[in-house]
Amino acid sequence: MVNFGHTAAETFPLFDRLHLCLIKPSKYDDDGYVIRYWKGVLPSNTLACLYGLSEDVKNRGVLGNNLKWRIDAIDETVQRVDVEGIARLNRRKGTKTIVCLVGVQTNQFPRAADLALEFRRQGLDVLIGGFHVSGVISTLPEMPADLRALQEAGVTLVAGEIENRWEMILKDALNNSLMPLYNFLQESPDISRAPMPRIPKNLLNRYAVKHFATLDCGRGCPFQCTFCTVINVQGRQMRYRCVDSIAERIRENYRQHNVSYYFFTDDNFCRNKNWEPILDMLIRLREEESIPVSFMIQVDTQSHRIPGFIEKAARAGCSQVFIGMESINEENLKAAGKKQNRVTDFKNLVNAYHEAAISTHLAYIIGFPFDSEESVQRDIQNLQQLGADQVSFFMLTPLPGSMDYLQFLSKATLMDADLNNFDTFHETFRHQRMKPRVWTRCYEKAWKDFYSVENMKRILKNAKPQKYWDLFLNFIWYKNAIQVEEGHPMLHGFVRLKGRRERRRIYSLESRWVYFKRRVRDIWRTLIGWSKLALEMEEVWLQTRHRSSLEERVVLELEQYQKRIREWRKLRLPELRTLYRQAALALEKSSHRHFSSPLRIPSYFQLWLQKWNVFSDSLTFTRFPMRWYWRSVLRQLKQGHFHRIRLFKTAFTGFREFVLFARFLRALLKRVDYSVPNLE
Ligand code: SF4
């Protein structure tokens, strides 16, 4: 391994202040506005790596002890990039500002390029690194025109990983001698002793889960999937971080920021040679040092065959595995070079993790060569039968750096010229078996079907009790992204923010009035979306929450009646009430001896009290009767039959809705069940 690092401290007479601005760019939405949220969902590990590396250079003092540092980490998906403000800081005498656009993926490249040019216009040094630049340079014989244009504008491109090289680049910047390209792809650095990723506290607060951080324990992957960029960018040779350094960072994060939940971003954690020492270390942290660490990892479909892997992962605090299943069609898997995936194994794989109380989250790609509208629908049905807890769907995208991209180029297959669409939820080429828009329709339907009320109920009912709320909250996150934000859960957060001027240059700047109308429409649509989502999730909770033994018995009785009634969902309120009464009477008869209160109140009366007590959610297993009532009120209103609306009943139902929803919210926020006390 070549160490490019310079170790002797140098002085830079021109500058006594260094402002390092690390920016993870976002992308543009379909209207050209930058995607930004009040609360994000996934922190960027590359940003954390760069922050850790920069702090290390600063702490070692190799750029001179008199140099005053300021390091800002900005994730544009949750923070506005103030180009003017950053440029203003640079105007202070003796200040050097270096803007680093980090971890830029292909779909973020158009935004990164626009930001880079804006910063260049302000006279700042700009570097762009990440999977796009690395992927393009690793696969193409020549520099493409868009990257060349950036270089001509004075932007520096960085390909490959910068561990052991960051100090050298910063020195070049302070000497005003940055090169147009730093290409480290030929030699991946040894990361065993590299500085650990670190995310500043102020950035952590911008995500929905504050005690959550990312960390890469290793890089690279030995497999050769044709759609994947990891192998060309990080290599097939696995490299690892030192276990002690990982332990130290976890301890520090817990002590300083109360961070205890991790996403270990290794593309394939189970192929990390050190998986066992890492899991042993995590077990020690949990059991001997009382650090309640838990984590999610990415694994391959053969991981359940590794002796002891699942057991140790569960004991070490693994709560979820993200599995690259990609397809359940053998022909597709073969075409994608995913030889390690065997469809016949999938059920065993999911079951093995479930037995250890680890949730399974599958990655599934739609748009492989053998997919068609019918086959995708069939596959999604079969996918639900596997019993996985979550699935993330993606559209096949020929990302620069992947073998698919090279193949598309060699066959001169037409690809979308707009890199902003290479986000795995846009069609980027003409599929052989699915017409334009049909492919997107299949993709959208896959999300809708998997996250339908019925399937969520099935998953939650089968989940281990300790997993219930984790899954429930994940469903809210996913449904919010799919239904309300109409985007991908891995990108879209909570409460969309926009800036009138934060628009792609190929779109015109809207007038204040036009923009105001757009925002009113946006906010209205979001409010309606949230209301629907809240009621949908309340229904899921009502039907799946933990029940007291009394409730369980009533449900059993109701189910007996239900079997005899085919169209249960079409029952009207009086009919439902009769059913409840019948169930209660049957219950009274069948369990008379065991079902008496100390006050000797007849059991039917107790059930009746429970049912109509607005302060109790017991014996309410669905919102359906209330929904039906509101619909009838709406109908009467539309027909002008105001006299038919019963005021007391309307007020009572409204109050009951309110109480029920408040209980749902309380249960959700406190992650507890509000079951009625047992009456026996
Ligand atoms: S898709 Fe996953 S298993 Fe396949 S090469 Fe990429 S990281 Fe490895």
Side-chain angles (χ1 to χ4, degrees):
M1 192 208 73
V2 180
N3 188 339
F4 292 84
H6 302 191
T7 43
E10 284 181 30
T11 47
F12 303 93
L14 289 176
F15 305 108
D16 56 11
R17 276 197 189 88
L18 174 61
H19 180 199
L20 209 48
C21 205
L22 311 171
I23 302 172
K24 168 80 182 165
S26 181
K27 72 178 290 275
Y28 296 111
D29 64 16
D30 290 344
D31 296 316
Y33 285 98
V34 174
I35 294 179
R36 185 156 53 86
Y37 284 92
W38 172 59
K39 290 287 173 194
V41 283
L42 283 177
S44 158
N45 192 57
T46 318
L47 190 57
C49 283
L50 259 292
Y51 194 83
L53 283 169
S54 306
E55 283 221 315
D56 170 69
V57 178
K58 174 186 162 189
N59 294 340
R60 283 190 289 122
V62 285
L63 299 187
N65 290 326
N66 296 331
L67 192 68
K68 291 194 189 83
W69 283 70
R70 172 173 170 168
I71 309 173
D72 287 332
I74 300 170
D75 179 349
E76 205 190 16
T77 60
V78 287
Q79 278 166 290
R80 196 172 76 82
V81 176
D82 179 8
V83 177
E84 283 289 331
I86 294 168
R88 212 174 303 125
L89 284 178
N90 187 53
R91 283 183 214 123
R92 287 167 63 181
K93 198 165 170 280
T95 300
K96 177 74 170 178
T97 300
I98 307 171
V99 176
C100 311
L101 298 161
V102 307
V104 178
Q105 293 167 5
T106 301
N107 68 88
Q108 296 158 343
F109 184 73
R111 173 62 185 159
D114 287 351
L115 275 176
L117 293 176
E118 267 188 68
F119 280 117
R120 283 301 299 147
R121 273 194 289 276
Q122 299 283 351
L124 305 189
D125 283 351
V126 184
L127 295 96
I128 301 186
F131 263 72
H132 180 70
V133 171
S134 303
V136 166
I137 292 175
S138 70
T139 44
L140 296 185
E142 275 179 22
M143 189 72 80
D146 52 354
L147 291 189
R148 255 199 335 264
L150 281 177
Q151 285 180 314
E152 280 158 19
V155 176
T156 293
L157 304 178
V158 183
E161 298 163 43
I162 56 158
E163 275 80 5
N164 300 332
R165 290 122 178 192
W166 191 221
E167 179 189 324
M168 174 197 69
I169 298 176
L170 292 180
K171 280 180 180 173
D172 284 355
L174 286 165
N175 283 323
N176 285 336
S177 58
L178 275 174
M179 295 199 288
L181 171 68
Y182 291 89
N183 185 351
F184 306 124
L185 285 165
Q186 293 311 315
E187 201 161 5
S188 298
D190 174 6
I191 55 166
S192 58
R193 295 276 160 195
M196 298 295 293
R198 209 170 93 75
I199 184 163
K201 180 75 180 159
N202 62 342
L203 193 51
L204 273 180
N205 290 340
R206 294 180 180 269
Y207 298 95
V209 183
K210 291 191 182 69
H211 65 285
F212 175 49
T214 57
L215 211 156
D216 53 333
C217 305
R219 292 183 196 159
C221 179
F223 296 115
Q224 282 183 292
C225 309
T226 59
F227 55 85
C228 181
T229 51
V230 170
I231 31 185
N232 276 331
V233 176
Q234 296 189 338
R236 296 185 62 205
Q237 180 78 33
M238 300 290 290
R239 289 162 292 128
Y240 323 98
R241 286 192 191 274
C242 154
V243 180
D244 290 341
S245 311
I246 300 173
E248 203 36 55
R249 181 43 45 99
I250 291 175
R251 280 191 200 102
E252 203 180 297
N253 279 348
Y254 183 65
R255 279 196 298 263
Q256 291 179 358
H257 307 313
N258 209 22
V259 167
S260 59
Y261 189 67
Y262 286 88
F263 174 25
F264 294 137
T265 58
D266 310 39
D267 288 290
N268 202 337
F269 184 87
C270 64
R271 301 296 151 191
N272 183 325
K273 184 180 66 139
N274 281 343
W275 70 259
E276 197 157 17
I278 294 172
L279 295 181
D280 284 338
M281 171 271 290
L282 293 169
I283 291 170
R284 279 197 303 279
L285 289 184
R286 284 168 70 87
E287 296 177 2
E288 291 167 21
E289 299 183 34
S290 303
I291 297 178
V293 61
S294 57
F295 58 92
M296 65 174 282
I297 45 177
Q298 306 188 87
V299 293
D300 62 58
T301 53
Q302 295 304 306
S303 54
H304 65 303
R305 294 180 181 278
I306 301 174
F309 177 74
I310 295 185
E311 295 72 22
K312 278 220 165 156
R315 203 172 142 211
C318 179
S319 65
Q320 190 181 85
V321 281
F322 188 75
I323 307 171
M325 186 169 282
E326 327 302 3
S327 180
I328 56 170
N329 179 326
E330 292 278 11
E331 287 180 300
N332 279 336
L333 292 171
K334 216 190 286 169
K338 201 107 196 178
K339 294 183 200 123
Q340 69 274 26
N341 283 16
R342 287 184 217 117
V343 175
T344 46
D345 253 10
F346 288 169
K347 185 87 186 157
N348 293 340
L349 168 78
V350 170
N351 288 346
Y353 279 105
H354 281 174
E355 271 164 32
I358 297 176
S359 305
T360 48
H361 186 155
L362 310 180
Y364 197 91
I365 298 177
I366 296 172
F368 281 124
F370 295 93
D371 279 339
S372 66
E373 190 173 9
E374 301 73 38
S375 77
V376 171
Q377 282 188 19
R378 208 174 40 240
D379 290 347
I380 302 304
Q381 295 286 324
N382 293 335
L383 190 65
Q384 293 180 21
Q385 307 309 318
L386 288 180
D389 303 299
Q390 269 183 270
V391 178
S392 283
F393 296 98
F394 305 90
M395 291 169 92
L396 185 68
T397 306
L399 291 169
S402 66
M403 284 181 264
D404 280 352
Y405 180 68
L406 272 182
Q407 213 185 21
F408 275 47
L409 287 181
S410 67
K411 288 186 183 167
T413 310
L414 214 57
M415 286 184 274
D416 193 335
D418 186 0
L419 295 178
N420 192 62
N421 290 339
F422 281 57
D423 49 12
T424 73
F425 48 97
H426 282 88
E427 295 179 17
T428 47
F429 64 95
R430 185 80 182 258
H431 195 272
Q432 288 164 355
R433 294 170 187 238
M434 288 184 277
K435 289 191 181 138
R437 283 301 302 157
V438 171
W439 183 9
T440 306
R441 203 168 62 210
C442 283
Y443 165 79
E444 286 169 354
K445 189 163 182 326
W447 280 112
K448 218 168 146 200
D449 288 354
F450 193 86
Y451 292 94
S452 63
V453 169
E454 284 310 310
N455 202 39
M456 286 192 292
K457 266 165 48 189
R458 190 187 57 73
I459 295 168
L460 289 169
K461 278 181 182 168
N462 292 334
K464 294 239 179 336
Q466 68 268 35
K467 292 276 149 198
Y468 181 90
W469 283 112
D470 286 347
L471 284 172
F472 200 96
L473 289 170
N474 281 354
F475 288 156
I476 294 180
W477 159 23
Y478 266 54
K479 296 279 289 184
N480 171 67
I482 308 156
Q483 232 165 265
V484 184
E485 301 298 341
E486 295 175 356
H488 200 283
M490 298 203 176
L491 171 67
H492 293 260
F494 296 93
V495 188
R496 176 73 197 270
L497 304 174
K498 269 184 194 172
R500 188 172 69 95
R501 295 186 172 277
E502 289 173 88
R503 201 171 198 203
R504 201 171 176 182
R505 287 194 300 164
I506 53 172
Y507 290 84
S508 58
L509 182 70
E510 287 180 323
S511 70
R512 283 198 171 79
W513 175 239
V514 173
Y515 179 73
F516 172 75
K517 284 194 290 183
R518 174 189 288 282
R519 287 304 280 152
V520 169
R521 268 197 315 272
D522 284 351
I523 292 166
W524 178 246
R525 213 180 41 228
T526 305
L527 289 177
I528 296 288
W530 278 345
S531 311
K532 283 185 182 161
L533 178 60
L535 293 177
E536 197 176 314
M537 294 314 289
E538 185 188 350
E539 180 70 24
V540 172
W541 173 69
L542 280 172
Q543 296 198 29
T544 57
R545 72 194 167 87
H546 172 72
R547 294 184 178 119
S548 69
S549 56
L550 166 69
E551 288 177 295
E552 284 297 350
R553 277 159 39 196
V554 174
V555 168
L556 275 178
E557 282 299 329
L558 282 173
E559 277 172 3
Q560 295 299 322
Y561 289 104
Q562 196 178 347
K563 276 181 197 154
R564 282 177 247 145
I565 301 160
R566 269 209 234 121
E567 299 252 35
W568 173 257
R569 290 189 154 269
K570 290 192 184 159
L571 286 181
R572 295 177 163 232
L573 189 58
E575 291 160 344
L576 265 173
R577 213 180 291 145
T578 312
L579 275 179
Y580 270 103
R581 195 178 305 126
Q582 284 175 351
L585 285 171
L587 198 64
E588 188 176 16
K589 273 189 206 154
S590 68
S591 56
H592 189 69
R593 271 166 300 152
H594 315 287
F595 193 62
S596 57
S597 76
L599 298 174
R600 303 272 170 226
I601 301 171
S603 56
Y604 168 66
F605 186 58
Q606 289 180 51
L607 282 173
W608 186 86
L609 277 180
Q610 292 283 351
K611 176 77 189 94
W612 296 111
N613 176 6
V614 282
F615 297 105
S616 162
D617 54 8
S618 63
L619 303 188
T620 303
F621 310 119
T622 173
R623 267 196 66 253
F624 173 70
M626 286 179 263
R627 210 171 72 198
W628 182 88
Y629 180 72
W630 294 126
R631 279 195 190 154
S632 73
V633 169
L634 210 66
R635 211 170 33 244
Q636 307 288 9
L637 283 174
K638 275 185 189 161
Q639 291 169 0
H641 299 157
F642 305 110
H643 58 285
R644 290 203 187 152
I645 299 171
R646 288 184 282 167
L647 279 182
F648 177 74
K649 189 165 179 193
T650 306
F652 177 81
T653 311
F655 190 53
R656 186 163 172 72
E657 281 272 24
F658 172 77
V659 171
L660 204 59
F661 190 71
R663 283 180 177 275
F664 165 59
L665 269 190
R666 217 173 142 199
L668 182 70
L669 295 176
K670 297 201 164 184
R671 296 174 168 222
V672 291
D673 287 309
Y674 284 85
S675 53
V676 281
N678 292 336
L679 292 180
E680 58 256 87

